[in-house]
Amino acid sequence: MKRISTFFLFCGIITAKAQTIPQQLANAIQKMEQHPQFAHATISLYVVESNTNKIIYAHNEQTGLAPASTQKIFTSIAAYELLGKGYAYNTPVSFTGNINNGVLHGNLMLKGMGDPTLGSWRYPQTNREAIVALIKTYLARQNIRQIDGDIIISNGSFAYQPLPGGWIWDDIGNYYGAGSYGFNWNENQYDLLLQPGKKVGDVVAITGTNPAVANFTINNHLSTGKAGSGDHGYIYLAPYTNTGFVTGTVPAGVVQFTLSGALPNPALQAGNELKEYFIAHNMPITGNVQVVNSTDSTGPNIGYLTSPRLDSMMYFFLQKSINLYGEAFIKTMAAQQTGEGSTENGVKLLQNFWQARGIDAYALHMQDGCGLSPQNRVTTYAMVSAMQYARNKDWFNSFYAALPLYNGTKMKSGTIGGAKAFTGYQTAKNGTVYTFAFIINNYNDAAGSVVPQMFKVLDILK
């Protein structure tokens, strides 16, 4: 009897090992759906063999779900195609009036072209100090040592509305919810510097901002939370305004805590910093900072502020999931293709782009270019189709390199309230390459992270 039991147990092990990849995926998804954490969730997984496009596994692949930041792959692939991996933004520097004995009797003008890297700390050539120093160098080449006029910065290359429809109030005052303007600065971000109390419930003091933001009032409703409780603070500040509030908690036990917020007027911030730099470096300026929405420029261009190449920006867009970059990219594509750099035109352009490549427009119910809107709905079928499209392009190596590496897999992740997603490529031990998209919506996040369970499913492809 013992020998028979052992024999059947042994056979059972062999049978389990002999299961095909599709069978293993089906069993894994069935197990997930039976778990209490996913009792009210929708799970979608679509996997194809990359080289043949053969369907390996399909489950709810035509159901539109909130993709969170995995939506960025649609924007990035279209940008590679429509803008090119070598694309760079060029922001013109010009002036009006005339120069007399080193004095510019007129205005310094910067025409924003939507560059999301102006003032960014991610590149040596784009940080705030480098940009303002370069502008001063351009003026020095014209023998301008003083400005008897204003600094005028134009947002006109993009629509006045910096935010996509569907972004929520809880997000837009915080750094990841920064709008995309014709002139962006410091990734449209500032840090609110805080001093928490020593015990739970103590008032949190605001000690300043970095960089310093002029004409800026934040009403403080923060309190001190438990030590180690993390960041539970939210800034509420709308675009083009100078008064907002901050609420929530930050942890006790730290000398200084930082909340990163969204600049309400990046062009004004840049102009103020530029003026301060001029004065500090012996270039007097008599006028003020003006932010305009016109694209007109009547003076000669004396230089350009050039961004890194698109393939370099794409690395940070996908690796660090910078929402601002995605919103700038879709507005830039819209401006080039339609003449108006608006989110609405950019989203329509993306839907048309992918529809022409075989993806139904209703499979891409998009509100933005980055996935922050909770109203976005995308199918895993559409996502895999886009990822497959990219594989045959001459810029694919750049796109592949920009994808993050999680759990030994090259894939983009996405997280938003009640939604978790991954899409990417996996090479199995036998050399087979798979393209996949995996989205779960409406799971019980109070029960803990779903990521280990999703990784366990994706590990089958290894």
Side-chain angles (χ1 to χ4, degrees):
M1 191 71 177
K2 182 177 179 182
R3 291 179 182 176
I4 295 174
S5 299
T6 304
F7 174 78
F8 282 109
L9 177 61
F10 181 69
C11 289
I13 293 173
I14 292 176
T15 303
K17 287 185 176 180
Q19 281 188 331
T20 64
I21 296 296
Q23 288 171 334
Q24 291 181 61
L25 291 172
N27 290 339
I29 293 299
Q30 183 180 33
K31 187 176 180 180
M32 284 188 77
E33 290 184 326
Q34 292 171 350
H35 193 284
Q37 189 171 15
F38 305 105
H40 309 290
T42 301
I43 298 175
S44 177
L45 175 63
Y46 189 54
V47 183
V48 302
E49 190 175 296
S50 304
N51 293 331
T52 64
N53 210 39
K54 175 185 175 182
I55 299 172
I56 300 301
Y57 181 74
H59 182 72
N60 291 330
E61 76 280 7
Q62 297 291 1
T63 300
L65 298 172
S69 281
T70 56
Q71 182 161 299
K72 288 179 170 68
I73 65 101
F74 294 103
T75 302
S76 65
I77 293 170
Y80 272 114
E81 278 286 87
L82 298 180
L83 299 177
K85 70 177 184 179
Y87 178 82
Y89 292 89
N90 284 295
T91 303
V93 181
S94 62
F95 67 87
T96 61
N98 57 79
I99 304 167
N100 187 11
N101 293 325
V103 179
L104 170 61
H105 298 283
N107 302 317
L108 171 65
M109 304 186 70
L110 303 177
K111 182 181 177 181
M113 302 301 293
D115 182 357
T117 69
L118 277 177
S120 171
W121 61 91
R122 300 184 195 276
Y123 309 89
Q125 73 272 30
T126 65
N127 67 58
R128 291 155 47 226
E129 295 78 9
I131 294 296
V132 296
L134 181 57
I135 294 171
K136 188 175 184 298
T137 297
Y138 287 150
L139 294 172
R141 290 176 183 172
Q142 303 297 316
N143 195 33
I144 296 173
R145 300 186 299 275
Q146 180 176 331
I147 299 176
D148 185 16
D150 295 335
I151 296 174
I152 300 177
I153 301 181
S154 169
N155 273 322
S157 61
F158 282 179
Y160 182 79
Q161 167 62 283
L163 299 173
W167 281 19
I168 64 174
W169 179 226
D170 283 354
D171 290 339
I172 64 176
N174 301 282
Y175 75 96
Y176 56 87
S180 173
Y181 300 76
F183 194 98
N184 302 297
W185 186 247
N186 197 47
E187 296 193 359
N188 299 345
Q189 178 177 326
Y190 69 94
D191 291 335
L192 192 65
L193 307 179
L194 308 170
Q195 184 177 348
K198 295 182 179 180
K199 62 182 187 299
V200 174
D202 281 353
V203 173
V204 176
I206 297 176
T207 61
T209 64
N210 183 29
V213 182
N215 303 318
F216 178 76
T217 301
I218 290 288
N219 294 308
N220 183 11
H221 297 275
L222 283 170
S223 62
T224 303
K226 293 180 181 179
S229 58
D231 177 0
H232 293 283
Y234 290 88
I235 300 171
Y236 295 86
L237 183 68
Y240 304 114
T241 61
N242 56 15
T243 301
F245 65 95
V246 59
T247 188
T249 65
V250 295
V254 293
V255 176
Q256 180 174 284
F257 196 86
T258 298
L259 288 180
S260 294
L263 283 170
N265 196 330
L268 180 62
Q269 177 68 24
N272 287 334
E273 290 188 35
L274 186 57
K275 183 177 179 179
E276 290 176 5
Y277 181 90
F278 286 166
I279 294 171
H281 289 78
N282 302 313
M283 180 181 283
I285 178 168
T286 63
N288 300 310
V289 176
Q290 294 187 48
V291 178
V292 299
N293 292 302
S294 170
T295 58
D296 296 336
S297 178
T298 57
N301 291 339
I302 60 173
Y304 292 90
L305 309 175
T306 302
S307 75
R309 287 164 45 111
L310 182 124
D311 52 3
S312 179
M313 290 185 280
M314 202 63 71
Y315 176 85
F316 286 106
F317 177 46
L318 296 178
Q319 287 277 335
K320 301 300 182 182
S321 212
I322 305 170
N323 294 330
L324 169 66
Y325 284 24
E327 300 318 308
F329 292 155
I330 65 166
K331 288 182 179 180
T332 301
M333 289 186 281
Q336 290 196 1
Q337 300 286 323
T338 72
E340 182 183 6
S342 68
T343 301
E344 292 79 6
N345 283 359
V347 167
K348 186 63 177 176
L349 179 78
L350 281 181
Q351 290 174 323
N352 290 341
F353 175 89
W354 287 113
Q355 188 169 30
R357 287 152 181 83
I359 297 177
D360 193 299
Y362 289 98
L364 291 178
H365 185 81
M366 304 172 71
Q367 297 291 327
D368 57 31
C370 70
L372 184 60
S373 172
Q375 296 180 16
N376 291 313
R377 295 293 182 272
V378 170
T379 68
T380 54
Y381 177 87
M383 198 167 285
V384 167
S385 298
M387 298 291 278
Q388 283 289 87
Y389 175 80
R391 292 186 74 254
N392 299 314
K393 296 298 175 179
D394 57 6
W395 42 257
F396 175 69
N397 288 340
S398 172
F399 172 69
Y400 185 85
L403 291 170
L405 184 67
Y406 298 115
N407 192 43
T409 303
K410 290 290 282 187
M411 57 184 174
K412 183 73 190 81
S413 69
T415 307
I416 203 170
K420 187 67 187 177
F422 293 101
T423 184
Y425 308 100
Q426 178 64 59
T427 302
K429 290 179 181 179
N430 65 3
T432 303
V433 182
Y434 299 103
T435 305
F436 66 86
F438 193 5
I439 302 177
I440 304 179
N441 278 190
N442 204 45
Y443 58 88
N444 179 9
D445 53 7
S449 174
V450 302
V451 171
Q453 296 183 68
M454 296 179 76
F455 282 175
K456 193 172 182 179
V457 174
L458 294 177
D459 283 347
I460 294 170
L461 301 177
K462 295 180 178 180

